[in-house]
Amino acid sequence: KEIIARAVLSVARDFPGQAGLLVDGRFGQSVLEHVTGRGLWIGRPVELPGSRPLRFEAGPNIALEMRAWPAEQTAKCLVFHHPDDPAELKRAQLATLAQLQEACIGTGHDLLIEVIPPKSMPSDETTLPRAVAEIYAHGLKPDWWKLPSMGDAGWRGVTAEIMKNDPHCRGVVLLGLEAPEDELAAAFKIARHHPICKGFAIGRSIFMAPARDWLLGKLDADAFAANVAENYRRLIEIWLSPQSAAA
């Protein structure tokens, strides 16, 4: 994580006020301390990885955990949510998200909700708009959303729900789910046609291959950082390309 952060900082210098990263407190505390205060957007995950129903890694009292966070850090919470989930599961997950929202309000932190429908359940272009609508209907109003790639119909549906329920929402960032670069480029091209999408938050597609080579001893730390920086910069160039930015 420290090597990846070094790469992020090297690229972020060329994009002041436009770059950021997601870093957890369990394995990335030293990175959080290093990058905070440098003008980056910082998202800090709070979910227990893989939990469904949703739970917090720090335990049930998430507000107590967040009181020690610098104000600039955004609480990022991934929920594996599908609008066709059983009612009891939905109630449990939405109640946990409501607890997190209350903690964010009480401690002065922004909230980002990341929604990924489970792979085991069928999804179409209505799934994410329905999920967003359902979360809003429970009284949740995150500052940010983080959502998987969608077609134009999906983006239009999500935009309509956000505009109807919370026009002050800061927008959506696109997640990558370890997709290859050509798939990301196609997703970028669609997303850039929808102003609600403000950028991307993609990790494994950028650092997974260099990390694997570093762990196998094929790269030293400097080469690892250089490869991550190159991959990150290339995705930024694709995002900013005339083809993606045609809208």
Side-chain angles (χ1 to χ4, degrees), residues 215-232:
L215 290 166
L216 291 172
K218 296 179 181 179
L219 295 176
D220 62 17
D222 289 340
F224 177 19
N227 283 8
V228 171
E230 180 183 355
N231 293 344
Y232 183 26

Side-chain angles (χ1 to χ4, degrees), residues 12 15 63 76 90 100-101 143 149 166 168 196 202 206 231:
F15 301 94
K76 192 282 295 186
K90 285 199 282 191
L100 176 59
Q101 177 170 270
D143 301 280
S149 62
D166 185 14
H168 298 293
I196 199 67
I202 291 168
I206 294 172
N231 293 344

Side-chain angles (χ1 to χ4, degrees), residues 86-108:
E88 185 176 347
L89 174 61
K90 285 199 282 191
R91 279 194 297 270
Q93 299 215 114
L94 292 169
T96 303
L97 287 174
Q99 181 187 352
L100 176 59
Q101 177 170 270
E102 185 177 345
C104 287
I105 294 170
T107 60

Side-chain angles (χ1 to χ4, degrees), residues 72-154:
E72 69 189 82
Q73 294 177 3
T74 294
K76 192 282 295 186
C77 188
L78 164 59
V79 57
F80 293 101
H81 175 82
H82 195 291
D84 296 330
D85 280 335
E88 185 176 347
L89 174 61
K90 285 199 282 191
R91 279 194 297 270
Q93 299 215 114
L94 292 169
T96 303
L97 287 174
Q99 181 187 352
L100 176 59
Q101 177 170 270
E102 185 177 345
C104 287
I105 294 170
T107 60
H109 292 89
D110 280 0
L111 170 62
L112 180 153
I113 295 180
E114 176 179 4
V115 180
I116 299 179
K119 291 181 180 180
S120 60
M121 300 180 68
S123 296
D124 58 26
E125 288 289 271
T126 70
T127 302
L128 285 169
R130 288 167 57 210
V132 168
E134 196 166 61
I135 291 170
Y136 275 129
H138 198 73
L140 290 150
K141 290 190 175 183
D143 301 280
W144 294 94
W145 293 93
K146 186 174 180 223
L147 301 174
S149 62
M150 294 170 271
D152 281 316

